Amino acid sequence: MVYHWQSHNVKTAGVDDMVLLSRVTEDEIVTNLRKRYLDDQIFTYIGPVLVSVNPFKTMPYFTDKEIELYQGAASYENQPHVFALADNMYRNMLIDAENQCVIISGESGAGKTVAAKYIMNYIARVSGGGDRVRHLKDVILESNPLLEAFGNAKSVRNNNSSRFGKYVEIQFSTGGQPVGGKISNFLLEKSRVVMRSRHERSFHIFYQLCAGADSRMEEQLGLASPENYAYLSQSGTYTVEGTNDVQEFQETMKAMSVVGLSDQEQKNVLQLVSAILHLGNISFVEDRSNFANVHDDRYLDFPAFLLEIDSVALKAKLTGRIFESHRERVNMTLNVEQACYSRDALAKGLYSRMFDFLVQKVNTAMVTTTPGYSTGILDIYGFEIFEKNGFEQFCINFVNEKLQQIFIELTLKAEQEEYVQEGIKWTAIDYFNNQVVCELIEGRRPPGVLAILDDVCATLHAVSEGADNDLKQKLCSGVGNHQHFESWKSGFTIHHYAGKVSYEVEGFCDRNRDIFFNDLIELMQNSKNSFVRGLFPEVLASNTKTRPTTAGSKIKSQANQLVEALMKCTPHYIRCIKPNETKRPHDWEEPRVKHQVEYLGLKENIRVRRAGFAYRRPFEKFLKRYAIISKQTWPTWKGDPRAGIKIVMEAVNMDTAEYQLGKSKVFIKTPESLFLLEEMRERRYDHYARVIQKAFCRYFARRQRQKQREQAAEIVFGKKERRRFSLNRGFVGDYIGLDNQPALRALVGKREKIEFAETVFKYDRRFQATKRDLILTGKTIFLIGREKVKKGPKKGQIIEVVKRRIPIETIRQISTSTKQDDFIVLQVNNEYDTLIRSIFKTELLSTLNRKLRENFNRVLSMNFTDNMEVSIKKEGWSGGGLRQVKVIAGTGEDPALKVSGKTLIVSIGPGLPNTMRPSLRLEPDNETLQIARRVVTVVHSNKGINNNNHIPRNQAPARPPHVQGRNSGSTVGQLRPTRNAPPAPINPAPKAPINLTATRRDNCYVEPPGGLKKNPSFNRSSRAPPPPSHPPPANQPIIRPIGSQVGSQVGSQVGSQVGGFRLPNPGAFRLPSVVPGQTAGPQRQQHPGLQTRNSGASATVPASASSQAGGGGGGYTEPQQRQPQQQQQQDFMRTPDPGVSGVKRASLRKSQLLKHQQQQQQQPAPRGPAKPRIEPKPPALAKARALYVYEAQDTDELSMNAGDVIEIISEDPSGWWQGRLRGKQGLLPGNYVQKL
């Protein structure tokens, strides 16, 4: 296991950006995803695209700590995460002043809903605001549980499957605060109210109401257990494992209140939900005339009571219908089938309109007229295949085809076309375009499936018998010759981009017509309940001749409107992958994942990203953003934009190979180059901001300086003699020049405000002085020193390290003498003391006192004594003890130091009286400035002290330079370096673009130029692992190889990989390192932070006791129990047949391979010698057979299965042998094999 190159103690497996894969194939992509998934790393990048694998359990890295970590950070600084994508989207909206959107796609159960929740949570946390904004954030966040309760349900593929589409737009002010929002919903699967397949549930709210209602509510609504309702008892499934319906009902009620539903509206909504349940219990029987009659009139009373309508009228409308023809009204009696249809139509219509009402209430709570920008989050139903696929599945899969088309258009097609239009040198990359499938479904000329379906429905009247068969015949004649269409006995088959799906035509026409009869509308409009009447605002007209809108045409129109809205935004992508159908953590089905990788086009996406450019912007926008980097282009550039861009690139020393200039846009190759521009821009703005701040401070100081001086002098007034130049000088704060010291700022923290910074001298137990950079922030004092690197590629170089970190609230008191010396003792509670010498001690003490008052409401405790005690740090066996610092009267302004045993004697001449106060002069006079310059000159010419050497005991250390910060225009002295320059590298690197990544790599562990040593003991400090015992341990992660059944438990132990830092370089190796004494075996070590939610057990789930997980979007919820698994998987749950789309993808891959081979054959072969030399036959290598399965723990090891025959290259006494298997050479444990 390796650790991320910049984070501390954050392990990573595989490659976190698959653009860096050494080989771009589906198998390599799947292998990389598997490594990361089994190591609980569910996120992986493909450039800006985020790939997310559903873990089916709660992960530990979605806390406030991660929100703070990813806020404002570049994507390369941390592990791949959905927070990084959300932060990038939010910042780009503010930076570019453009609307943003994120498209979350994947099949059902892949984790789309949960990803959308995390994005909304992150944006709500990082965006500021007052009470109004906080309320708006609550509405946005609480809309999730509300709409999930009424719009999500358990399916066979997903315990929290979204049965509607949702596009959430969050509107922001120009300052980045949320000011409003809007939710657009698409195609609620209302048929789930009245029917569903086995092992599925209806919408969550029905079960929540039955489980969570109190006794009073049960009596008012006539509630009972779900088994008592016909609509809920069809599937025989009433609970979801890992879901608490009672608790979620309380969350739903809370969400109703937050989004603005009054108590009466909440009561009406629950009353309507209960009425729908009671409607389903109304059953019909045939009378003697073969007409429908209600089986038991008592079942009419309660739904009529809840809907506040007459029960007799309800019976009449369910069993009869008024038919109008030729200006005559005919009262027609229905048969049993028609009566059931009317009952179900009423239930579906009530539920659908109630859902629209809830969405409208959420939108009303978020409405705004404030102009600004928006961020859209698309959470829509995933591609799905059920045992019986009907009209709803057809529409759902059609919408997913449209989303796949957007991804293709913007990431594969449009990007390549843009390169050609801009004149960028480019080699086309082939891919499968699913536009042909979209045309098959929504085409007009020739008519597609939806057009033919609407035509068939237009010819229907009151009778729909035989309409579905007519639809099938017309489809066969209309699109039967299409290569992505097939006919079968019960319907038709579409070869979607994600595989073949067979649809049953039964019910297609009725569901597409989506008729809600006028009789039922009239019945609801006569309700005494205003809420029910408000759901049916239609004006009934008997003579209307317009064709009613069908469900198919509606979803087609909504899909096209959604595409238009997404095209107007800057898109971001999350590609969700479902690793298994068992909903169990660490269960990996190889064929299923590989199929998803293929149809999602991840390989083509990687190839385009590797060959393309990570960033492109029009010339004007680029210069507007980055012109500040160069003084030649700032503040305005009036010349040729190309010339201005070249000046900016030269200012950051960017290699010309890293960018290209098109006809109207600039293209930047790698993200690292873009990060370099951003970093330099941020530094430039930071520099100008500091110049403005300093100028303002100088202006403000003319009026406030006297007050500041008096406040600072009060700390030592009457207690300590003053130095000549310490009374009337101005306070600068930064005497190190942190503007140009990014390494020091990184040690302190990017967001920490520096209150004071100075180079001081720190004295050890022997009173030897060493330079330290003292940096005071609002809460901490840092003492930063230098150390020489003792090993690694930076051996011999000097780097900055934090020697001590002192929280200011732990400072007990500050001791100093009554003389004019600069010695200070920092005395800390329950810790050792620190003796330092600070020239700007008055400013340091004043600033420290001010921060203690502001942050901790206490004053700084001071001890003025000429006999100071210093508590020494305990080291090894020696005790800490005490040291004495004795200050005596002497001569001169510079102290004379003498060490006598455990006492440092400081002799210094008299200073100014301790009762002197600052003068009223606003500026020092010329004489004072000249003396100050001479003092600084003497300090810089002193050669007795350096950064790493101790001063002689009998010599006082020279004063550090009086510097007001770099580029500050100090009037006291010129800027000079305060520390030695680091030594030059031994092997200079070749000329390359200077970027931020190269700078950060200085702290990375790099492999020696010679690569891995041939002796395998170079990489192992212990013997090979012992062979495994049989049977395998119960806590193995289940890995499903190709061809295995879902229920089979074939696993391999995956070891923890411990190694060096990861380099952001595809060619870099990782040196494995094993702690001495450890066993370098295959046993996985659990990361201490990855614990389950409900127990302290390891996150690796036992194969014998793992359980199904429920939760949102495939859900990151920890399972508790597992139901017995079926012996054989149902056909529709298997990996779908790729169909014609898969054949086309395979043919494209084959053509690309042939094209590559032809290009190689066209190249002229090198001329060889006239007579080839016969090489001696190499000696045959020894062979061995693997006895056990072994999974490679590092990049230099071999993975092997039991029975594999390995060629043994060398054997080592440590137990690690070198071998070759399937063309790959690496290390293997010798006790896992047997020689042949």
Side-chain angles (χ1 to χ4, degrees):
M1 188 60 53
V2 298
Y3 285 82
H4 195 263
W5 69 285
Q6 207 176 24
S7 299
H8 297 290
N9 298 326
V10 178
K11 60 181 181 179
T12 182
V15 178
D16 56 11
D17 190 339
M18 290 193 287
V19 174
L20 304 178
L21 285 174
S22 57
R23 295 176 57 222
V24 183
T25 63
E26 277 89 358
D27 291 335
E28 290 292 328
I29 296 172
V30 173
T31 299
N32 188 71
L33 292 175
R34 177 176 61 83
K35 288 180 180 179
R36 296 180 61 78
Y37 171 75
L38 295 179
D39 199 51
D40 289 329
Q41 301 294 329
I42 64 173
F43 297 117
T44 309
Y45 287 136
I46 301 179
V49 177
L50 182 67
V51 180
S52 174
V53 183
N54 191 348
F56 291 109
K57 66 176 182 179
T58 301
M59 306 305 293
Y61 38 76
F62 294 97
T63 63
D64 293 344
K65 176 184 176 182
E66 281 73 28
I67 291 178
E68 182 178 355
L69 181 67
Y70 285 91
Q71 184 178 358
S75 60
Y76 67 89
E77 293 185 13
N78 300 298
Q79 283 275 295
H81 203 289
V82 67
F83 288 167
L85 181 138
D87 185 76
N88 185 39
M89 179 171 61
Y90 177 70
R91 287 189 294 121
N92 285 351
M93 177 193 68
L94 300 178
I95 291 171
D96 299 330
E98 295 178 350
N99 296 334
Q100 309 285 313
C101 70
V102 56
I103 302 175
I104 309 173
S105 58
E107 65 180 48
S108 180
K112 301 181 296 299
T113 299
V114 176
K117 287 181 186 177
Y118 282 128
I119 292 175
M120 285 189 280
N121 286 334
Y122 181 86
I123 293 177
R125 289 296 303 275
V126 301
S127 56
D131 294 338
R132 157 67 182 168
V133 173
R134 281 194 294 271
H135 173 69
L136 180 63
K137 291 179 181 180
D138 292 339
V139 172
I140 295 173
L141 297 179
E142 291 297 333
S143 66
N144 285 322
L146 176 62
L147 297 184
E148 280 187 19
F150 287 86
N152 287 26
K154 178 191 183 308
S155 69
V156 293
R157 292 185 176 274
N158 186 359
N159 288 343
N160 189 34
S161 178
S162 298
R163 309 317 301 167
F164 73 106
K166 178 176 64 175
Y167 182 55
V168 181
E169 295 177 271
I170 306 175
Q171 296 173 313
F172 296 87
S173 65
T174 53
Q177 297 180 347
V179 294
K182 178 183 177 183
I183 295 179
S184 304
N185 61 305
F186 310 97
L187 188 66
L188 176 71
E189 189 190 19
K190 56 187 177 183
S191 64
R192 184 168 288 268
V193 174
V194 300
M195 61 179 297
R196 70 205 60 84
S197 302
R198 293 173 53 197
H199 307 299
E200 295 190 346
R201 294 205 317 178
S202 186
F203 294 102
H204 294 324
I205 186 61
F206 293 115
Y207 307 91
Q208 292 178 9
L209 180 61
C210 293
D214 55 26
S215 57
R216 181 181 177 184
M217 190 179 297
E218 288 179 354
E219 182 180 356
Q220 292 177 347
L221 303 181
L223 295 175
S225 60
E227 297 87 354
N228 296 302
Y229 299 104
Y231 280 161
L232 302 184
S233 61
Q234 296 177 3
S235 61
T237 300
Y238 307 105
T239 59
V240 176
E241 196 168 354
T243 300
N244 188 335
D245 288 323
V246 176
Q247 180 180 353
E248 293 196 356
F249 179 69
Q250 300 301 325
E251 295 177 359
T252 302
M253 298 302 295
K254 175 189 173 184
M256 286 187 185
S257 300
V258 172
V259 301
L261 269 73
S262 64
D263 293 341
Q264 184 60 42
E265 287 175 328
Q266 296 180 34
K267 179 182 177 181
N268 289 332
V269 168
L270 298 181
Q271 192 170 315
L272 192 58
V273 172
S274 179
I276 293 171
L277 291 178
H278 287 287
L279 276 176
N281 286 345
I282 301 175
S283 59
F284 303 94
V285 293
E286 286 187 355
D287 60 12
R288 295 179 180 179
S289 303
N290 295 330
F291 293 127
N293 195 8
V294 176
H295 179 262
D296 190 344
D297 289 349
R298 291 178 299 176
Y299 288 98
L300 294 169
D301 295 336
F302 221 93
F305 165 74
L306 294 173
L307 295 173
E308 299 188 32
I309 58 177
D310 183 59
S311 61
V312 177
L314 175 61
K315 178 179 179 180
K317 297 301 182 182
L318 293 181
T319 58
R321 186 182 309 158
I322 297 177
F323 181 74
E324 298 185 6
S325 176
H326 302 290
R327 299 180 181 178
E328 295 181 357
R329 293 170 62 91
V330 179
N331 195 353
M332 184 177 66
T333 306
L334 305 179
N335 58 29
V336 173
E337 181 181 356
Q338 293 170 336
C340 291
Y341 183 89
S342 296
R343 177 201 61 197
D344 294 344
L346 177 59
K348 292 186 295 183
L350 286 171
Y351 194 86
S352 175
R353 293 173 186 237
M354 177 183 62
F355 186 80
D356 291 339
F357 164 78
L358 294 175
V359 174
Q360 181 183 359
K361 290 295 293 185
V362 175
N363 287 334
T364 302
M366 298 190 298
V367 68
T368 183
T369 57
T370 304
Y373 313 109
S374 68
T375 294
I377 304 169
L378 179 62
D379 174 24
I380 207 163
Y381 22 59
F383 188 89
E384 59 188 21
I385 304 175
F386 291 150
E387 184 176 7
K388 182 179 179 180
N389 302 290
F391 177 75
E392 286 80 7
Q393 280 67 47
F394 175 77
C395 293
I396 288 173
N397 294 340
F398 163 65
V399 174
N400 279 271
E401 287 282 357
K402 297 290 289 185
L403 295 181
Q404 176 70 5
Q405 180 63 26
I406 293 178
F407 184 80
I408 291 174
E409 286 284 341
L410 298 182
T411 62
L412 301 179
K413 181 181 178 181
E415 185 167 347
Q416 297 191 74
E417 290 177 350
E418 185 179 35
Y419 294 149
V420 176
Q421 294 172 0
E422 291 287 330
I424 303 297
K425 186 177 180 181
W426 179 257
T427 302
I429 295 176
D430 297 328
Y431 56 91
F432 169 68
N433 193 337
N434 72 326
Q435 179 64 33
V436 61
V437 184
C438 295
E439 289 295 330
L440 167 64
I441 297 175
E442 64 174 346
R444 290 181 175 273
R445 296 180 181 178
V449 175
L450 288 177
I452 296 174
L453 177 60
D454 285 346
D455 288 340
V456 173
C457 292
T459 60
L460 297 179
H461 297 288
V463 181
S464 60
E465 289 82 0
D468 294 330
N469 290 330
D470 293 341
L471 171 64
K472 180 181 176 182
Q473 294 177 2
K474 289 192 175 182
L475 287 175
C476 292
S477 60
V479 295
N481 295 328
H482 198 284
Q483 56 184 342
H484 287 264
F485 179 89
E486 288 182 8
S487 176
W488 66 295
K489 59 180 180 179
S490 299
F492 60 92
T493 300
I494 300 291
H495 293 250
H496 289 282
Y497 77 100
K500 294 169 58 176
V501 183
S502 297
Y503 302 98
E504 296 188 7
V505 295
E506 181 182 357
F508 250 71
C509 292
D510 284 337
R511 296 178 185 176
N512 183 55
R513 292 172 68 192
D514 196 25
I515 296 177
F516 197 78
F517 300 107
N518 290 344
D519 304 64
L520 300 178
I521 296 177
E522 184 179 357
L523 175 65
M524 294 298 104
Q525 289 178 344
N526 291 329
S527 172
K528 298 177 182 179
N529 189 320
S530 60
F531 174 75
V532 176
R533 293 197 306 270
L535 298 179
F536 297 87
E538 294 92 338
V539 177
L540 300 180
S542 59
N543 56 353
T544 179
K545 296 182 180 180
T546 59
R547 178 186 292 187
T549 303
T550 61
S553 60
K554 184 178 180 181
I555 192 63
K556 174 183 173 182
S557 175
Q558 289 179 334
N560 290 327
Q561 291 175 4
L562 176 63
V563 170
E564 292 178 3
L566 296 176
M567 287 292 189
K568 294 178 182 178
C569 304
T570 301
H572 306 260
Y573 304 96
I574 300 179
R575 311 290 268 174
C576 296
I577 291 180
K578 187 177 183 181
N580 59 67
E581 283 293 347
T582 62
K583 307 182 186 73
R584 297 166 52 193
H586 283 194
D587 193 357
W588 184 265
E589 298 178 16
E590 194 96 354
R592 178 172 300 280
V593 177
K594 185 175 181 180
H595 177 69
Q596 295 175 71
V597 168
E598 289 178 353
Y599 74 67
L600 289 174
L602 299 188
K603 186 186 76 170
E604 290 76 13
N605 190 202
I606 294 174
R607 293 182 61 200
V608 171
R609 179 54 54 183
R610 290 179 66 159
F613 296 84
Y615 176 86
R616 79 265 345 251
R617 272 296 181 272
F619 292 154
E620 293 75 14
K621 284 189 175 183
F622 182 88
L623 279 176
K624 181 179 179 181
R625 179 160 183 79
Y626 298 111
I628 194 174
I629 293 177
S630 174
K631 294 181 179 179
Q632 297 177 255
T633 56
W634 180 261
T636 57
W637 173 256
K638 299 181 180 180
D640 183 13
R642 292 171 172 268
I645 293 174
K646 290 181 179 179
I647 291 174
V648 172
M649 298 303 189
E650 291 173 358
V652 297
N653 295 327
M654 186 177 293
D655 196 304
T656 55
E658 285 294 307
Y659 70 95
Q660 288 193 40
L661 299 180
K663 297 178 180 178
S664 62
K665 294 182 179 181
V666 56
F667 295 83
I668 296 178
K669 186 75 175 175
T670 60
E672 290 79 8
S673 299
L674 177 62
F675 298 147
L676 169 64
L677 289 170
E678 287 292 331
E679 182 78 11
M680 296 302 295
R681 176 181 180 271
E682 184 177 348
R683 289 188 188 180
R684 185 63 64 180
Y685 268 115
D686 186 65
H687 167 71
Y688 284 141
R690 290 178 180 274
V691 170
I692 296 172
Q693 289 173 352
K694 290 176 181 178
F696 175 78
C697 287
R698 286 193 296 269
Y699 167 79
F700 188 72
R702 291 188 181 98
R703 301 178 181 179
Q704 299 295 327
R705 183 170 298 170
Q706 182 64 26
K707 182 179 179 180
Q708 291 177 355
R709 290 171 181 166
E710 290 179 355
Q711 291 175 349
E714 285 298 326
I715 296 179
V716 296
F717 180 77
K719 300 173 184 177
K720 186 175 179 65
E721 295 177 356
R722 305 302 304 274
R723 283 191 177 273
R724 183 176 181 185
F725 303 108
S726 66
L727 286 173
N728 297 313
R729 70 175 186 86
F731 288 174
V732 176
D734 181 8
Y735 298 94
I736 297 178
L738 291 176
D739 288 351
N740 295 325
Q741 297 289 336
L744 291 179
R745 291 198 63 90
L747 290 176
V748 175
K750 289 183 178 180
R751 299 173 190 161
E752 291 289 339
K753 181 181 179 182
I754 307 300
E755 303 289 345
F756 178 81
E758 177 197 1
T759 300
V760 300
F761 291 96
K762 183 260 182 186
Y763 291 82
D764 61 10
R765 64 178 61 239
R766 298 177 181 85
F767 300 112
Q768 293 181 339
T770 308
K771 279 188 178 180
R772 294 284 187 264
D773 288 333
L774 185 148
I775 299 178
L776 171 63
T777 66
K779 296 182 179 181
T780 310
I781 292 178
F782 294 87
L783 289 174
I784 299 176
R786 274 88 199 154
E787 283 186 357
K788 183 178 291 186
V789 180
K790 297 181 180 179
K791 60 181 180 179
K794 293 179 157 248
K795 183 177 180 181
Q797 296 186 19
I798 305 297
I799 62 173
E800 290 90 352
V801 294
V802 177
K803 292 293 187 178
R804 190 175 187 189
R805 180 185 286 105
I806 305 175
I808 63 175
E809 72 269 19
T810 64
I811 295 178
R812 178 167 48 88
Q813 71 175 5
I814 302 293
S815 294
T816 186
S817 73
T818 61
K819 304 294 190 294
Q820 66 163 333
D821 63 285
D822 300 323
F823 286 89
I824 294 175
V825 180
L826 303 176
Q827 297 176 327
V828 185
N829 290 326
N830 302 321
E831 292 189 30
Y832 62 94
D833 302 336
T834 297
L835 174 62
I836 63 172
R837 182 184 172 196
S838 169
I839 295 178
F840 308 111
K841 56 186 179 301
T842 305
E843 182 177 355
L844 169 61
L845 297 175
S846 174
T847 306
L848 180 59
N849 184 50
R850 176 168 53 87
K851 300 314 295 182
L852 280 172
R853 286 201 314 267
E854 292 176 358
N855 297 332
F856 303 101
N857 195 26
R858 74 180 182 91
V859 296
L860 179 64
S861 176
M862 296 290 301
N863 178 29
F864 295 91
T865 175
D866 291 338
N867 293 305
M868 296 180 284
E869 288 188 350
V870 183
S871 176
I872 302 301
K873 179 181 179 181
K874 182 177 179 180
E875 295 182 354
W877 294 100
S878 61
L882 296 175
R883 299 292 185 271
Q884 301 288 332
V885 179
K886 187 175 182 180
V887 183
I888 62 176
T891 59
E893 294 186 352
D894 291 331
L897 307 183
K898 179 180 179 182
V899 177
S900 176
K902 295 184 178 181
T903 303
L904 174 65
I905 300 175
V906 180
S907 175
I908 191 168
L912 299 178
N914 57 19
T915 56
M916 288 194 66
R917 294 185 179 273
S919 68
L920 297 178
R921 292 198 310 267
L922 295 181
E923 300 292 343
D925 54 18
N926 293 332
E927 180 184 359
T928 303
L929 289 176
Q930 292 175 2
I931 297 174
R933 291 192 183 98
R934 286 199 297 271
V935 172
V936 173
T937 304
V938 171
V939 170
H940 285 306
S941 63
N942 193 312
K943 303 300 182 180
I945 303 174
N946 56 38
N947 289 334
N948 305 308
N949 298 331
H950 298 295
I951 64 171
R953 295 186 177 182
N954 58 354
Q955 179 182 354
R959 292 176 177 270
H962 184 131
V963 181
Q964 291 192 355
R966 305 186 186 264
N967 302 327
S968 61
S970 172
T971 61
V972 179
Q974 298 298 323
L975 176 66
R976 297 174 186 267
T978 60
R979 58 181 59 86
N980 294 336
I986 299 175
N987 297 321
K991 185 177 181 181
I994 300 176
N995 54 41
L996 185 59
T997 302
T999 303
R1000 297 185 184 275
R1001 287 181 187 172
D1002 289 344
N1003 292 330
C1004 293
Y1005 185 71
V1006 184
E1007 184 181 357
L1012 298 175
K1013 293 186 178 181
K1014 295 182 178 180
N1015 186 357
S1017 63
F1018 174 79
N1019 294 321
R1020 298 290 182 272
S1021 59
S1022 61
R1023 293 191 173 274
S1029 58
H1030 293 284
N1035 61 348
Q1036 284 183 274
I1038 300 176
I1039 305 171
R1040 302 193 179 279
I1042 297 177
S1044 65
Q1045 297 294 332
V1046 173
S1048 64
Q1049 297 189 5
V1050 180
S1052 62
Q1053 298 182 356
V1054 182
S1056 62
Q1057 299 178 355
V1058 182
F1061 290 89
R1062 170 197 169 276
L1063 288 176
N1065 181 357
F1069 288 89
R1070 291 185 286 107
L1071 276 179
S1073 64
V1074 179
V1075 179
Q1078 282 187 345
T1079 302
Q1083 183 63 34
R1084 168 177 292 276
Q1085 295 182 0
Q1086 180 64 31
H1087 191 281
L1090 303 179
Q1091 299 293 334
T1092 59
R1093 181 177 61 181
N1094 298 326
S1095 67
S1098 171
T1100 304
V1101 177
S1104 61
S1106 56
S1107 56
Q1108 291 187 355
Y1116 300 147
T1117 57
E1118 183 70 89
Q1120 298 176 357
Q1121 296 179 352
R1122 183 188 173 198
Q1123 299 176 356
Q1125 189 172 343
Q1126 298 180 0
Q1127 294 297 326
Q1128 292 185 351
Q1129 190 180 15
Q1130 302 181 49
D1131 290 340
F1132 75 95
M1133 297 289 286
R1134 296 182 184 274
T1135 303
D1137 187 345
V1140 174
S1141 302
V1143 174
K1144 287 186 175 181
R1145 285 192 292 266
S1147 64
L1148 286 175
R1149 290 194 295 269
K1150 186 176 180 181
S1151 64
Q1152 292 171 2
L1153 180 61
L1154 292 176
K1155 185 186 300 184
H1156 179 68
Q1157 293 176 350
Q1158 291 175 359
Q1159 292 175 353
Q1160 289 184 337
Q1161 293 175 358
Q1162 292 174 359
Q1163 296 178 357
R1167 295 182 60 185
K1171 184 177 181 180
R1173 184 171 63 90
I1174 300 176
E1175 297 290 343
K1177 184 178 180 180
L1181 298 175
K1183 295 184 179 181
R1185 177 179 287 108
L1187 300 177
Y1188 311 100
V1189 175
Y1190 181 71
E1191 185 74 10
Q1193 303 175 43
D1194 215 327
T1195 54
D1196 59 337
E1197 296 181 12
L1198 290 177
S1199 295
M1200 56 187 179
N1201 297 318
D1204 286 346
V1205 177
I1206 305 105
E1207 294 180 328
I1208 305 301
I1209 299 176
S1210 64
E1211 303 177 18
D1212 191 82
S1214 67
W1216 287 99
W1217 296 1
Q1218 277 195 338
R1220 183 185 297 114
L1221 177 62
R1222 290 185 285 273
K1224 182 180 178 181
Q1225 182 174 328
L1227 302 176
L1228 67 145
N1231 51 356
Y1232 273 54
V1233 300
Q1234 181 181 18
K1235 280 190 174 182
L1236 298 178

